[in-house]
Structure formats: C-alpha cells, structure tokens
C-alpha cells in the first residue's frame, strides 16, 4: 500500500517537472548563443518605426536626391537672373552720368553795360565770360549745360535770375553784374581802394535741391570755370592797363586788386544743405520707411487671422474682415509714421524757423512755421501708406519666399529714382518721377529747406498710389484666402 503510493505521481507534479525541463533547455540554448526569433508583432513594430539615417549616396535617396538637385538648380537660376535684372537698375542709373552732365542747365546772364547808368562804354567782363562758357559747350564731355540767356528774359533784373534758379528752371546761374566793367575801369582811373573784385560776377545755386549732384558734378566744374575765367581775364586786363599810359602808376599801387585778380565771383547758395543730421530724413533714412511698411504685413497678419479662426467664437464674414484689415493697416501706419518722424524731431532737425524770401540766402527756413512738423509727418504718413499697401498686396499674392525678392525690387527701384538726379540718369528712368519715394523725398526737401514747392503734385501722386492699392486690396485678400484654403485641402 505504501509502495503503491510512492510509485504514483500526480498530473500537476508532472507538469511542473516538464516546465522546469523546458526552462533548463531554453537557458541552455541562450547560453549556447542562440537568439530568440522575434514574433510577428515585434517584426511589424520594427518595420513601422522611424527609418535609420543613411549616407548621401544611399540608393534609397536616388529619387529625392534628383529632386533636390533640380530644385536647387532652378532656385539658383531664378536668383541669378533676378540679380542681373533688378540690381542692374541700381548700377545703370549712374551709367551715363558723364554724358548727361550737360543736362544740368546753368544760365549765363550778361548784364554788363546794359543797364543805366552803366551804358555807353565797351563792356569787357560780360562778353569774355559768355565766350568762354560757349566754348565749353564744344569741349569734350563732361561739361555743364551752359545756356546764354538775354537779360530781357528776366525783365533786366538780376534778382529775377535768382528766382529762376530757386524755381528749378536751372541748376545754377552765372550773373555778370551791370557795373562789372565800369567799376573795374573806375578803380584804376580814380584809384578807388574800395573796389571789390567779387562784385563783378555772381554764382547762384540751391544746394539743398540735390546736395550730391552739386558737390559731385556742378560745383567742381563751376570752380574750375571761375579759375579759368579769372586767369584769362586777368592776363588780358593787365596787358591793357599796362599799355594805357594815361593811367598813373600810383593808382595801380593803391588798388592792386584791380589788376589781380581784377574780377571774381560772389557765391550765393540760396538754400545750403545743413545741418548734417538732416541727411537721413531725405536720403538713407527713408529706406527704413519702406522696410517698416513691408514687415508690418508679417507682424499684423497673424493677429488679423484670429477673426477667421472659429476658436470659441464664430468666424467673421470675409468682407468685414477685409474692411477691418484695411482700417487697421492704415491706423498702424499713422502711429508708425509718427514714430519715424519723431526721430527727426528728437535729433533737433529744425522745424520752427521762420520763412524766408526765395532770393535770399537762408538756412533751413520753414514754409509752415510751427506747423512744419505736422506737415512733415503727414508726408511720411501718406508715403508709408503708398509704399506699404503695395507691399501688402504683393505679399498676399506671391507669398513666401518670393516676398523677399519683392522687397529688394521695391527698395532698389525707389532708391535709384529718389537719391540720384533723374536728369543725370538715362531717360528710361523717367518713370521714377511717378514712384512713391521720389515724391516723398521731393516733398520732404521742400518742407525742411523751403525749396520750390511742388507738394501738391507730390501728394497727388502718392494718393494715386493709395487709391490704386486700396482698390486692389480686396482682390488680393480673396487670392490669399483661396491660397490658404488650397493648402489646407492638400494637408488633409
């Protein structure tokens, strides 16, 4: 009975023994270096995981590598062509300066011996100067566009010549005064020690009209002409005086200036370009006005789009959204242009000077008195709208990354037609007279220096830009919405 019990085994004990045997066999296989095969689920998990990085020349990248090469080549070609076409606009504006210097008109007006009480004698100074300037026209270029004009064109009034230069009818004028020869002759005949050679002739110009053109092209040639004339006339006059035995030598000792230099030129810069801090307000600083108006699009668009996203509120009707965007943009330009204008006020650009007559030399006269700053601000405001709405419309239509190319085009075309004289540029650039920045610069100069004012024309052109871009604004908004809906469909 006892032996029978020892020989019997329960099923549970057999299973336990079997499990231990299997475990030992598995351990033995693992110890022998055998690996367990992954299950089907594990293999599927490995296949669905992220692909491992591979080298540049891996065969799995053949297709995408070809696509990348094609896109790289196309983008490089587009940028290269863009550089050649658009940047050439900046280089080309100065390409014909030497040939076009003659377009810078300089009036030569000879009053010598033509007005009483200085008539009757034989004028020497006037004819000699007009002959010299006329000979300059046949000289090799570059030379200024000297134009001999009869005094009768100015009602025989030397001050009227100043008015003509102020009114931009010429870049400069050389005026030979009515008493030029008479006073010189009297000086040697009567030993007039008060004789001033600088009273014989006048050079008149308005530097604030375009300081770069004056300092680079006009004044150097006028200075050279003055030197040539005084040297040439001095030799001729000294020879005549020394040959005239009726003139006592004592007289010549008392008025040596009547022999050398004999004649000279008084300079009248009706509107000097100063102070230096005013330079950014009419040149480089205005580039940032373009950039600010351009970047306002990317800053404000995400804010405006909250009206269209139905996140806890109903979306706004699209016509209402367009109206809001336009009004918000115009309001933003109002404050941004004020901030820009306040920089000029902070750095003490004169805004409170009194007005001055056109024929008198004056530093920074103000045509609008204490209201000059407000007018200056409004010019910048309207200018920013004309520049900015164009950027808004283009950015909505072409999108990224092409907006960067638009900004370069917009800056170059505006700068090349605003900071350089279009009279010196090829005639093809005359479209620049209708560009926004050209009119902003011209209006700003007329305000800050009380130049010949065409502010009505300037504002008219700027408002045309505003009206055109306002009319296009809703169309561009719908194009932007269509593009965004199309991208959303693709992502789904």
């Amino acid at each position: 009975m006892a032996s029978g019990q020892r020989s019997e085994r329960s099923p549970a004990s057999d299973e336990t023994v079997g499990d231990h045997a299997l475990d030992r066999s598995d351990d033995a296989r693992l110890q022998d270096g055998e690996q367990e095969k992954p299950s089907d689920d594990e293999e599927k998990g490995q296949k669905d995981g992220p692909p491992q990085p591979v080298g540049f020349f891996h065969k799995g990248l053949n297709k995408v590598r070809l696509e990348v090469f094609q896109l790289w080549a196309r983008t490089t070609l587009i940028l290269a062509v863009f550089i050649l076409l658009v940047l050439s606009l900046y280089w080309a504006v100065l390409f014909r300066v030497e040939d076009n210097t003659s377009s810078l008109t300089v009036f030569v007006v000879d009053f010598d011996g033509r007005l009483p009480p200085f008539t009757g004698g034989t004028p020497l100074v006037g004819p000699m100067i007009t002959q010299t300037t006329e000979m300059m026209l046949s000289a090799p270029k570059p030379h200024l566009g000297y134009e001999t004009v009869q005094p009768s064109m100015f009602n025989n009034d030397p001050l009227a010549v100043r008015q003509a230069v102020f009114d931009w009818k010429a870049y400069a004028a050389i005026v030979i005064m009515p008493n030029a020869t008479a006073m010189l002759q009297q000086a040697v005949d009567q030993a007039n020690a008060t004789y001033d050679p600088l009273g014989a002739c006048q050079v008149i110009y308005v530097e604030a009209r375009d300081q770069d053109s004056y300092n680079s092209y006009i004044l150097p040639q006028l200075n050279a002409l003055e030197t040539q004339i005084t040297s040439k006339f001095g030799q001729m006059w000294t020879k005549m005086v020394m040959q005239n035995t009726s003139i006592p030598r004592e007289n010549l000792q008392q008025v040596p200036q009547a022999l050398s230099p004999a004649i000279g030129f008084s300079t009248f810069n009706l509107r000097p370009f100063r102070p230096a801090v005013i330079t950014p307000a009419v040149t480089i600083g205005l580039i940032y006005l373009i950039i600010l108006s351009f970047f306002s699009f990317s800053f404000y668009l995400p804010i405006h789009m909250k009206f269209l996203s139905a996140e806890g509120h109903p979306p706004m009707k699209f016509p209402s959204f367009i109206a809001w965007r336009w009004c918000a943009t115009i309001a933003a330009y109002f404050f941004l242009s004020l901030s820009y204008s306040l920089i000029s006020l902070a750095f003490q650009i004169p805004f409170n000077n009194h007005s001055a007559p056109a024929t008198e030399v004056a530093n920074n006269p103000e045509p609008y008195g204490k209201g000059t700053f407000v007018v200056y601000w409004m010019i910048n405001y309207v200018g920013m709208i004309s520049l900015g709405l164009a950027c808004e419309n283009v950015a909505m239509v072409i999108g990224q990354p092409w907006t960067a190319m638009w900004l370069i085009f917009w800056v170059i075309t505006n700068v090349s037609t605003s900071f350089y004289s279009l009279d010196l540029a090829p005639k093809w650039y005359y479209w620049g007279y209708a560009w926004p920045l050209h009119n902003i610069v011209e209006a700003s100069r007329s305000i800050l220096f009380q130049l010949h004012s065409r502010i009505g024309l300037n504002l008219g052109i700027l408002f045309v830009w505003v009206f055109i871009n306002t009319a296009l604004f809703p169309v561009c908004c719908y194009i932007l919405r269509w593009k965004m809906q199309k991208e959303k469909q693709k992502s789904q």
Side-chain angles (χ1 to χ4, degrees):
M1 189 70 178
S3 61
Q5 290 176 349
R6 286 193 298 269
S7 61
E8 292 178 357
R9 294 179 181 176
S10 64
S13 62
D14 291 340
E15 291 177 1
T16 303
V17 172
D19 292 340
H20 286 301
L22 289 172
D23 292 340
R24 285 194 298 271
S25 62
D26 290 342
D27 294 339
R29 286 196 302 271
L30 292 172
Q31 291 174 0
D32 293 340
E34 295 180 11
Q35 301 293 329
E36 288 185 306
K37 293 183 178 180
S39 63
D40 293 341
D41 293 338
E42 290 175 342
E43 290 181 354
K44 185 177 180 181
Q46 290 178 358
K47 292 180 180 179
D48 292 342
Q52 296 297 317
V54 297
F56 182 79
F57 294 101
H58 190 275
K59 63 180 181 180
L61 296 179
N62 288 345
K63 184 177 180 181
V64 69
R65 189 165 54 241
L66 178 61
E67 181 182 359
V68 168
F69 281 159
Q70 291 175 345
L71 291 174
W72 176 87
R74 185 182 68 180
T75 303
T76 303
L77 177 62
I78 292 174
L79 291 176
V81 172
F82 176 82
I83 291 171
L84 289 172
L85 293 179
V86 178
L87 268 66
S88 293
L89 293 173
Y90 187 76
W91 265 255
V93 73
L94 298 174
F95 184 60
R96 297 293 184 187
V97 166
E98 288 75 15
D99 295 334
N100 293 338
T101 306
S102 57
S103 64
L104 303 177
T105 305
V106 177
F107 287 160
V108 180
V109 189
D110 179 16
F111 289 94
D112 190 14
R114 301 195 180 195
L115 299 181
F118 307 106
T119 57
T122 302
L124 299 175
V125 180
M128 184 267 179
I129 293 177
T130 55
Q131 290 174 9
T132 303
T133 55
E134 289 172 0
M135 289 174 60
M136 293 290 293
L137 296 177
S138 59
K141 293 182 178 180
H143 59 73
L144 299 174
Y146 298 104
E147 181 180 341
T148 302
V149 184
Q150 295 300 318
S152 58
M153 298 295 295
F154 304 100
N155 295 322
N156 295 317
D157 183 4
L159 286 180
V161 182
R162 294 191 188 187
Q163 184 68 51
V165 174
F166 182 86
D167 291 339
W168 295 5
K169 296 179 180 178
Y171 275 85
I174 299 173
V175 177
I176 301 93
M177 299 305 290
N179 59 350
T181 301
M183 293 300 294
L184 177 61
Q185 188 69 52
Q186 184 187 49
V188 296
D189 289 341
Q190 301 178 11
N192 183 7
T194 62
Y195 172 73
D196 184 4
L198 297 179
C201 307
Q202 296 180 355
V203 173
I204 303 161
Y205 62 95
V206 182
E207 181 190 11
R209 176 182 177 182
D210 183 1
Q211 74 281 1
D212 291 331
S213 294
Y214 278 102
N215 294 323
S216 298
Y217 311 113
I218 300 175
L219 294 182
Q221 292 201 39
L222 286 179
N223 292 335
L225 178 65
E226 292 174 16
T227 302
Q228 178 182 351
I229 289 174
T230 53
S231 174
K232 185 177 178 181
F233 183 84
Q235 295 177 16
M236 179 189 72
W237 174 248
T238 302
K239 184 178 180 181
M240 291 177 58
V241 171
M242 298 305 294
Q243 291 177 349
N244 190 347
T245 57
S246 63
I247 300 177
R249 293 298 178 262
E250 292 79 5
N251 291 3
L252 301 181
Q253 294 176 356
Q254 295 180 24
V255 284
Q257 70 272 25
L259 286 179
S260 178
I263 63 170
F265 294 82
S266 297
T267 299
F268 293 87
N269 181 5
L270 300 179
R271 296 293 183 268
F273 186 85
R274 61 172 68 107
V277 73
I278 213 168
T279 303
V282 294
T283 54
I284 303 299
L286 288 168
I287 295 178
Y288 302 109
L289 197 67
I290 303 176
I291 296 174
L292 287 171
S293 62
F294 171 81
F295 281 109
S296 66
F297 171 80
S298 57
F299 277 104
Y300 288 111
L301 184 62
I303 300 174
H304 300 319
M305 295 304 292
K306 291 183 177 293
F307 281 119
L308 296 182
S309 60
E311 297 178 358
H313 61 81
M316 180 183 289
K317 292 182 178 180
F318 201 68
S320 300
F321 172 77
I322 294 174
W324 156 254
R325 267 203 65 196
W326 188 88
C327 293
T329 300
I330 300 301
Y333 290 156
F334 182 82
F335 295 104
L336 294 177
S337 62
L338 174 60
S339 297
Y340 172 84
S341 303
L342 285 174
I343 297 174
S344 297
L345 187 63
F347 284 91
Q348 301 180 11
I349 291 179
F351 284 105
N352 294 318
N353 292 343
H354 296 291
S355 179
T359 57
E360 293 184 6
V361 176
N363 292 320
N364 302 107
E366 308 293 348
Y368 304 102
K370 294 183 178 180
T372 300
F373 175 77
V374 177
V375 179
Y376 172 71
W377 170 25
M378 289 298 103
I379 290 294
N380 290 328
Y381 176 47
V382 179
M384 196 171 191
I385 297 174
S386 63
L387 293 166
L389 285 183
C391 293
E392 291 268 344
N393 290 339
V394 174
M396 287 190 287
V397 172
I398 65 176
Q400 295 291 346
W402 310 109
T403 51
M405 299 175 69
W406 157 258
L407 176 61
I408 295 174
F409 167 82
W410 198 226
V411 169
I412 287 179
T413 55
N414 276 282
V415 167
S416 60
T417 56
S418 304
F419 299 165
Y420 302 98
S421 173
L422 292 181
D423 290 327
L424 293 173
K427 291 184 178 180
W428 182 80
Y429 280 90
Y430 282 7
W431 50 264
Y433 287 112
W435 238 233
L437 196 63
H438 178 89
N439 290 277
I440 297 172
V441 170
E442 188 174 294
S444 298
R445 287 180 182 271
S446 67
I447 293 169
L448 297 174
F449 299 102
Q450 195 184 0
L451 300 181
H452 172 62
S453 179
R454 297 195 296 186
I455 195 169
L457 174 64
N458 302 140
L459 284 173
I461 293 175
L462 292 177
F463 275 117
V464 168
W465 278 94
V466 173
F467 293 149
I468 291 176
N469 283 292
T470 298
L472 294 174
F473 190 79
V475 179
C476 296
C477 286
Y478 276 104
I479 293 175
L480 176 63
R481 185 178 71 164
W482 173 77
K483 290 172 61 179
M484 294 177 66
Q485 290 175 346
K486 192 175 180 181
E487 292 178 1
K488 186 176 181 181
Q489 293 173 358
K490 286 183 179 179
S491 62
Q492 293 175 351

